[in-house]
């Protein structure tokens, strides 16, 4: 799917609200990117924002005047007009203060007056220090905005203006633009993954010891199935290669291929791979299997029984070795220690585009839970951490990252 030729934001009216955060300097890049994509941009700023970037800069880049005060000439009427003009109102950066005021419906500046009169979809890209981001007041304000139907653009992890490292950075302008593109595509019914075939592996595998016993693991397949559903919702034709689990999906965009062993999963995936644009390997594939499977039940005998194990094929590694330039590979990394180091090593060695790291050390994350807490690392060195969420929401985040990589 080539998106390059099409200016996907052509003619879209974006109302950008800039509030007071050091990330306000990124508003300049954001406006340039939006204008380059064909969007029409109008900017409103809070007074605090003008301390970080001048209205003149943003007016020049957006090619539109930047009103500042409610009492400015014509601004009072403007706030209603602007709110009605826009296809989307985007608050970026959204400071803790502005988020709090939006949640409460306060209206003591022009940005807020415009926000309260906006009849279009609203998105916000928070930017603040990590402790402010985690404060229960901010948590509940963000939840409130989401409950109003607004969309939160994922916050990034990295160096903060305070000099600390953590969650709180505003998403990069490129990510915000990708988020907007996805929004308009979904709205148009022109789904971002229409025409793409995706393979998802999910669940455990079982490796037979004899006709009665097997080696397996605790994977439920819930995360992989949620990803298959999110990909299908985004328009992909999904082939779900599913190990033995009681979980299932009835999504019409998904074909389920049931397998038992790592070898069967390997064969099901490799035969389909040449036709796939995306592979998400969420299965917990057994790394070893009994070297010999007894054809009869092994009888109780000596005090100890030794079973020789041999390696199973590493499905994802073999796909990574043979993938074409248009194919996108996503892997998972579930560890109990040195999580980041192992995840980055896997990303590199298996030639992945994206890796989803989760840790069994996090409460509520891992096998059989309905929630998960992940960090995404992509091949371009971008790292994004997310809070504990439902597996459906995590799946959305992963699919958004996939779509973004496709557009990169
Ligand atoms: O190396 P490790 O097994 O931890 O890698 C995990 C990732 O590789 C997961 O995405 C998993 O689905 C995939 N994998 C695979 N085939 C294997 C083992 C793991 O595709 N045999």
């Amino acid at each position: 799917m080539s998106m390059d030729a099409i200016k996907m934001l052509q003619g879209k009216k974006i109302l950008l609200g800039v509030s007071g955060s050091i990330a306000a300097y990124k508003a300049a890049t954001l406006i340039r990117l939006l204008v380059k994509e064909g969007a029409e941009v109008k900017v409103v700023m809070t007074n605090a924002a003008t301390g970080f970037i001048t209205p003149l800069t943003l007016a020049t880049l957006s090619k539109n005047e930047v009103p500042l005060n409610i009492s400015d000439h014509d601004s009072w009427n403007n706030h209603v007009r602007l709110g009605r003009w826009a296809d989307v109102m985007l608050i970026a950066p959204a400071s803790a203060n502005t988020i709090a005021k939006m949640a409460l419906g306060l209206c003591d500046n022009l940005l807020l007056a415009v926000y309260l009169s906006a009849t279009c979809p609203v998105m916000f890209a928070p930017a603040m220090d990590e402790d402010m981001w985690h404060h229960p007041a901010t948590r509940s304000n963000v939840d409130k905005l989401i409950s109003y139907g607004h969309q939160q653009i994922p916050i990034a992890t990295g160096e903060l203006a305070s000099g600390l490292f953590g969650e709180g950075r505003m998403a990069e302008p490129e990510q915000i633009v990708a988020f907007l593109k996805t929004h308009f595509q979904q709205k148009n019914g022109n789904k971002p993954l229409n025409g793409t075939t995706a393979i998802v592996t999910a669940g455990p595998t079982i490796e037979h010891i004899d006709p009665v016993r097997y080696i397996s693991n605790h994977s439920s397949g819930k995360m992989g199935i949620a990803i298959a559903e999110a990909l299908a919702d985004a328009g992909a034709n999904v082939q779900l290669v599913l190990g033995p689990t009681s979980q299932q999906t009835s999504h019409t965009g998904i074909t389920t291929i049931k397998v038992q062993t790592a070898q069967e999963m390997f064969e099901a995936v490799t035969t389909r791979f040449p036709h796939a644009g995306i592979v998400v390997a969420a299965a917990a594939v057994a790394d070893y299997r009994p070297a010999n499977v007894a054809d009869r039940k092994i009888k109780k005998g000596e005090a100890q029984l030794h079973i020789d194990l041999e390696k199973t094929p590493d499905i994802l590694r073999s796909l990574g070795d043979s993938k074409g330039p248009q194919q996108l590979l996503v892997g998972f990394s579930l560890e109990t220690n040195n999580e980041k180091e192992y995840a980055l090593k896997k990303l590199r060695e298996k030639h992945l585009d994206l890796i989803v790291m989760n840790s069994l050390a996090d409460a509520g994350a891992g096998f059989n839970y309905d929630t998960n807490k992940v960090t995404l690392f992509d091949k371009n060195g971008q790292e994004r951490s997310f809070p504990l969420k439902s597996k459906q929401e995590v799946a959305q985040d992963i699919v958004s990252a996939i779509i973004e990589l496709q557009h990169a």
Side-chain angles (χ1 to χ4, degrees):
M1 181 171 56
S2 168
M3 298 284 178
D4 298 344
I6 319 160
K7 278 190 180 174
M8 286 168 32
L9 299 179
Q10 188 68 48
K12 297 289 183 272
K13 300 187 181 87
I14 313 291
L15 179 57
L16 178 64
V18 181
S19 65
S21 148
I22 181 69
Y25 80 90
K26 293 186 191 170
T29 315
L30 179 58
I31 296 168
R32 280 203 58 216
L33 292 176
L34 290 171
V35 169
K36 234 166 107 185
E37 289 286 344
E40 232 183 291
V41 184
K42 290 190 180 178
V43 181
V44 282
M45 307 173 77
T46 62
N47 268 324
T50 62
F52 295 97
I53 188 153
T54 70
L56 181 61
T57 306
L58 302 190
T60 309
L61 291 170
S62 66
K63 305 184 180 86
N64 276 309
E65 247 180 82
V66 176
L68 283 178
N69 298 308
I70 290 188
S71 53
D72 277 357
H73 168 68
D74 212 24
S75 282
W76 183 247
N77 286 333
N78 253 345
H79 79 87
V80 178
R81 235 181 288 139
L82 277 173
R84 295 202 160 219
W85 165 84
D87 291 320
V88 161
M89 179 165 190
L90 166 67
I91 324 280
S95 65
N97 185 47
T98 291
I99 288 174
K101 288 180 175 180
M102 288 163 70
L104 275 176
L106 293 182
C107 183
D108 61 0
N109 63 38
L110 185 63
L111 186 153
L112 292 165
V114 171
Y115 159 69
L116 279 178
S117 359
T119 47
C120 57
V122 175
M123 300 173 183
F124 61 105
M128 66 197 74
D129 195 60
E130 183 169 29
D131 295 330
M132 296 168 81
W133 175 244
H134 287 301
H135 193 284
T138 308
R139 300 282 83 241
S140 104
N141 290 333
V142 167
D143 287 347
K144 253 196 205 148
L145 295 191
I146 291 170
S147 78
Y148 301 158
H150 304 339
Q151 286 179 276
Q152 188 223 309
I153 300 180
I155 202 156
T157 302
E159 202 181 315
L160 300 168
S162 57
L164 300 173
F165 186 93
E167 276 181 349
R169 283 169 66 93
M170 185 176 84
E172 292 304 323
E174 290 77 7
Q175 278 169 259
I176 297 178
V177 171
F179 198 91
L180 276 167
K181 285 184 184 172
T182 308
H183 166 82
F184 284 113
Q185 276 173 330
Q186 282 172 345
K187 196 166 158 259
N188 293 341
N190 177 12
K191 296 185 177 174
L193 297 179
N194 271 348
T196 305
T197 296
I199 300 173
V200 178
T201 72
T205 64
I206 58 173
E207 308 302 329
H208 299 287
I209 299 170
D210 68 15
V212 183
R213 290 110 171 178
Y214 59 77
I215 298 173
S216 190
N217 58 64
H218 293 295
S219 170
S220 63
K222 285 180 185 170
M223 190 66 247
I225 290 174
I227 292 171
E229 290 176 341
L231 286 166
D233 283 343
N237 157 24
V238 182
Q239 316 263 309
L240 173 66
V241 182
L242 185 63
T245 168
S246 58
Q247 302 292 320
Q248 53 184 340
T249 172
S250 51
H251 198 299
T252 49
I254 301 176
T255 310
T256 304
I257 302 105
K258 290 198 172 168
V259 296
Q260 291 209 316
T261 64
Q263 187 62 35
E264 287 171 13
M265 189 173 273
F266 175 77
E267 285 160 18
V269 172
T270 42
T271 53
R272 289 169 174 80
F273 185 52
H275 310 289
I278 298 167
V279 179
V280 181
V285 187
D287 292 326
Y288 290 91
R289 65 186 168 208
N292 299 298
V293 182
D295 51 11
R296 293 186 179 178
K297 184 179 169 194
I298 300 172
K299 299 300 288 176
K300 224 181 305 188
E302 306 300 312
Q304 294 201 347
L305 171 69
H306 294 276
I307 300 172
D308 280 331
L309 299 176
E310 64 180 13
K311 271 199 152 168
T312 56
D314 189 325
I315 304 166
L316 195 51
R317 184 182 291 270
S318 103
L319 301 183
D321 289 342
S322 66
K323 77 164 177 174
Q326 299 304 324
Q327 291 179 305
L328 212 139
L329 288 189
V330 183
F332 272 70
S333 177
L334 174 69
E335 302 288 350
T336 51
N337 55 296
N338 291 348
E339 294 91 341
K340 181 171 173 178
E341 183 191 329
Y342 288 137
L344 290 176
K345 188 163 180 269
K346 253 176 247 182
L347 178 75
R348 217 175 32 246
E349 291 182 350
K350 297 194 186 191
H351 307 297
L352 307 184
D353 299 275
L354 183 72
I355 193 151
V356 183
M357 177 184 89
N358 50 11
S359 167
L360 278 184
D362 285 322
F367 298 125
N368 242 316
Y369 284 105
D370 290 324
T371 50
N372 203 358
K373 182 173 186 308
V374 304
T375 302
L376 306 184
F377 299 97
D378 72 23
K379 62 173 177 198
N380 305 322
Q382 197 175 157
E383 169 178 347
R384 262 174 281 176
S385 300
F386 297 90
L388 191 72
K389 294 181 174 193
S390 72
K391 285 187 170 169
Q392 280 68 29
E393 287 169 309
V394 173
Q396 291 287 353
D397 291 333
I398 295 169
V399 170
S400 297
I402 290 173
I403 293 169
E404 200 179 297
L405 278 169
Q406 274 202 330
H407 292 165

